[in-house]
Amino acid sequence: KAGVTQTPRYLIKTRGQQVTLSCSPISGHRSVSWYQQTPGQGLQFLFEYFSETQRNKGNFPGRFSGRQFSNSRSEMNVSTLELGDSALYLCASSGQSVAGYTFGSGTRLTVV
Amino acid sequence: GESVGLHLPTLSVQEGDNSIINCAYSNSASDYFIWYKQESGKGPQFIIDIRSNMDKRQGQRVTVLLNKTVKHLSLQIAATQPGDSAVYFCAELYSGGGADGLTFGKGTHLIIQP
């Protein structure tokens, strides 16, 4: 079956802009989580959605937000982009809990 | 906050040798641990997991050991192959704590020497 699909793969944005990233989970998976990966901070949890509701949230500013649609597809939005937001943004889906996480290949965001 | 850490940023081994990647975790309440492999340009790929009620689990060419006394986790890869070259992350979770996602270690870059 198809894996987790993230679009776009690469993105270049200017400081102050906003960006929306998309994640399509594995069919049947209802939990979608987002992570930010940087060389300095490693992989950090952003938030998790389950059945269109945010179930958990990491320690990121309010500029980072997300949502989940009825078909379990999820989007994350970053407003007022800063240079430090440059990172690989990873989405993972699972059936019920993190135990069955499958990651996508990520969206590489560069803020200039 | 509490975090999971790895002892070595880079590990170089000869092809065919066994590799051992270590991880120290600090949250004694964590009850689920996972090892991931990440190749360049890809997302983390699940290798093996272990729950806190176990101290050892084996997969295909991989073994995870959990020592709760010293809060230490290790991944053993037998007969290392060139395709094992990647960054390896350990991750922990306290499933009863609101599940703030997985907490990842910084990663160990495994380099396979021919």
Side-chain angles (χ1 to χ4, degrees):
Chain A
K1 56 184 175 181
V4 178
T5 302
Q6 291 189 246
T7 56
R9 285 299 308 274
Y10 302 93
L11 206 50
I12 300 176
K13 289 286 188 178
T14 304
R15 273 183 300 175
Q17 288 186 314
Q18 72 166 12
V19 66
T20 299
L21 312 180
S22 179
C23 172
S24 293
I26 290 173
S27 179
H29 282 187
R30 294 165 64 190
S31 170
V32 174
S33 297
W34 289 88
Y35 287 80
Q36 181 196 66
Q37 186 175 27
T38 60
Q41 298 300 316
L43 279 149
Q44 293 185 291
F45 172 70
L46 280 157
F47 28 66
E48 182 207 2
Y49 286 87
F50 184 85
S51 294
E52 302 179 65
T53 301
Q54 188 180 86
R55 191 156 68 171
N56 293 295
K57 189 177 191 304
N59 189 25
F60 277 82
R63 299 186 298 108
F64 292 82
S65 63
R67 60 177 175 170
Q68 187 179 32
F69 302 95
S70 58
N71 61 358
S72 294
R73 190 178 71 84
S74 178
E75 290 181 346
M76 69 162 281
N77 182 277
V78 187
S79 63
T80 318
L81 284 165
E82 301 176 358
L83 295 178
D85 297 333
S86 294
L88 180 67
Y89 289 89
L90 291 158
C91 164
S93 76
S94 64
Q96 290 287 339
S97 70
V98 301
Y101 262 7
T102 299
F103 280 88
S105 293
T107 293
R108 172 75 62 186
L109 172 65
T110 301
V111 182
V112 298
Chain B
E2 294 176 314
S3 64
V4 178
L6 289 162
H7 294 310
L8 293 174
T10 302
L11 176 65
S12 183
V13 298
Q14 292 290 125
E15 183 179 347
D17 286 353
N18 296 334
S19 302
I20 299 176
I21 300 173
N22 295 305
C23 175
Y25 65 93
S26 58
N27 186 358
S28 56
S30 290
D31 53 5
Y32 181 61
F33 305 88
I34 314 173
W35 279 101
Y36 287 95
K37 171 186 179 182
Q38 187 174 23
E39 297 173 286
S40 180
K42 298 183 180 179
Q45 177 187 358
F46 173 91
I47 300 173
I48 192 168
D49 60 0
I50 189 168
R51 296 202 177 270
S52 58
N53 60 353
M54 303 172 68
D55 53 21
K56 180 179 179 179
R57 191 163 188 225
Q58 289 183 292
Q60 187 176 14
R61 283 201 307 118
V62 295
T63 300
V64 56
L65 298 177
L66 175 63
N67 185 331
K68 294 182 286 294
T69 302
V70 295
K71 291 186 283 188
H72 184 268
L73 192 68
S74 70
L75 176 70
Q76 300 177 2
I77 305 173
T80 312
Q81 303 169 358
D84 294 329
S85 289
V87 178
Y88 289 81
F89 296 94
C90 63
E92 66 169 328
L93 177 72
Y94 169 44
S95 59
D100 292 332
L102 291 167
T103 299
F104 283 86
K106 294 293 186 186
T108 293
H109 185 194
L110 180 63
I111 299 171
I112 312 302
Q113 304 283 0

